[in-house]
Amino acid sequence: MTKWETTMPGLPLHVIIIGAGTGGLCLAQGLKRAGVSVAVYERDRTRRDGLQGYRVGIDADGKRALRANLSPELYDTFLTTCAQRPLYGNQMTHQKKYLFSAGPEVLKAEDQPSEDDADESVSRMTLRQVLLTGVEDVVHFDKCFTHYEQHADGRVTAFFADGESATGDVLVGAEGANSPVRKQYLPHAKLVDTGLIGITGKTPLTDETRALLPKEVMEGVTMVHGPKGFMCILHVMRFKWDEDGKPKAGIGSTDAEALRAWPGMLYDNSRDYIMWGFAASEKWLPKDVTQLRGARIQQLVTEKTTSWHPDYRRIFSLGDPDSSFPLVIRTSEPIDPWQPSSVTLIGDAIHTMTPGRGVGANTALRDARLLTRKLDAASRGELSLLDAVGGYESTMTSYAWDAVIKSRAQMDGHSVMHKGDLLGTLARTGMRTAMRTMNHLPPVKRKMVLAESSFRGAGREDED
């Protein structure tokens, strides 16, 4: 019998992770902390590369995973490097009128989230640097994975484009939506286009741009709804350090110490800014939209929002052109269970989802925490490797497919909301009317806020 089929005290394990993204690095942090041998192979050439994307919300699930997998000191550093917490959830029209807005005042005292469950906002760039801190010795850059081979004894070898290879007991694909590991392991697990194209941008927060946004938008996450199903998310990121990377005046001494001592600060390039993400059905955009970059794609957003409030259009026009790029919004489709083996997947590599519910990164972190616990149990002889991986996959798919389906329901370019005919107009009008009605019903607002908090992991019990 192989060690895949047996439970052995003190079973030595070596885990190979392909991809140094959010999920892969959180897994590496957890395994290293648990004393399980791990190596990460990343195609980027240095830790400075791959710094795309801006704001990411970390919910209760994400914080729970980071708290479990990071050392207490590094988790404190994560909290220190977060931006100001979002307090409001807003829905607005393209003419800058409120459809719905819910803040702390909606909840009763007993409803208020604990510190552990409160949402955080962090720069994706900063989060990656936090997760790289302390695992530099196990992360290998400039390693382009090509394929793997599974052996009769249950071990697996990963091969790279430079001719080198690495062998371990478990291979984890954590390299994102285009995962080569998934394509080899589960070739029937496909990604489908939602029919939506996203265009993201980053506008510096200055006295001028600050004056364009009301208090609730400055202190919250806002979805703007426009004609033809056009939409735009706005989030203001205000950090604890200034333009020179020094702690701002007025922050706590503990925060200041953490920032000064944090090695990742050397690599951070985020300063206070307004993150915006515009999205529209591909039928309303040029055929070559995915080829556009910088000032040209930023100009496209202003061309498509001529009927929008001037303040929104000013924010788009003042964006840093180098920060704007298009994104084809795709999603996984749930697949039937598969037999566990020495290969598994986490994060977008198995469950890519739209940003409609804002839980993609958090689900990857949740995966990392769960898989860490299962592999740690196997290393201590409490589970066979087969049971460890199988148990992880069974639990992971139960929550991941739910998140995939609910995220797609919020962002589907093929839905009636994106039609330009009378039916589409009626659907959008009905949606706005419903939001305005709920906005005037405090008990309904409270129920909605609590439901969203629960979806994002508040008060959730540990997975098995």
Side-chain angles (χ1 to χ4, degrees), residues 224-272:
V224 181
H225 301 271
K228 300 179 181 178
F230 292 180
M231 62 185 76
C232 181
I233 189 168
L234 295 169
H235 187 90
V236 179
M237 298 289 284
R238 289 176 287 177
F239 298 99
K240 298 175 182 178
W241 53 89
D242 62 21
E243 292 292 333
D244 298 320
K246 299 176 181 177
K248 288 178 179 175
I251 70 168
S253 60
T254 303
D255 286 350
E257 288 178 15
L259 287 170
R260 289 193 186 96
W262 176 48
M265 181 64 78
L266 298 173
Y267 302 95
D268 185 79
N269 66 349
S270 294
R271 299 296 175 260
D272 295 356

Side-chain angles (χ1 to χ4, degrees), residues 4-138:
W4 272 93
E5 303 166 305
T6 59
T7 300
M8 299 171 59
L11 182 70
L13 291 182
H14 180 62
V15 180
I16 297 171
I17 301 172
I18 306 298
T22 301
L25 288 174
C26 185
L27 177 61
Q29 288 275 359
L31 292 174
K32 184 177 180 181
R33 189 178 178 204
V36 178
S37 176
V38 60
V40 182
Y41 296 88
E42 166 59 46
R43 66 182 303 158
D44 289 340
R45 297 186 63 187
T46 72
R47 69 181 287 169
R48 289 177 179 267
D49 298 331
L51 298 183
Q52 281 195 338
Y54 305 117
R55 180 258 181 188
V56 59
I58 302 298
D59 62 21
D61 278 331
K63 290 175 73 173
R64 190 176 295 115
L66 292 170
R67 193 163 55 249
N69 281 27
L70 304 183
S71 67
E73 296 78 14
L74 191 55
Y75 181 72
D76 287 344
T77 299
F78 154 72
L79 292 176
T80 299
T81 55
C82 288
Q84 180 172 308
R85 285 176 179 167
L87 299 179
Y88 292 87
N90 308 303
Q91 304 284 334
M92 301 183 76
T93 72
H94 64 297
Q95 282 298 318
K96 207 178 174 183
K97 295 180 179 179
Y98 285 100
L99 295 169
F100 182 90
S101 181
E105 71 285 349
V106 171
L107 299 178
K108 298 178 181 179
E110 62 268 25
D111 299 330
Q112 298 293 337
S114 67
E115 279 293 306
D116 288 344
D117 284 350
D119 279 10
E120 307 288 352
S121 286
V122 67
S123 161
R124 286 185 182 273
M125 304 177 189
T126 305
L127 179 60
R128 190 186 194 211
Q129 298 311 316
V130 169
L131 291 173
L132 277 166
T133 300
V135 292
E136 295 90 345
D137 59 326
V138 301

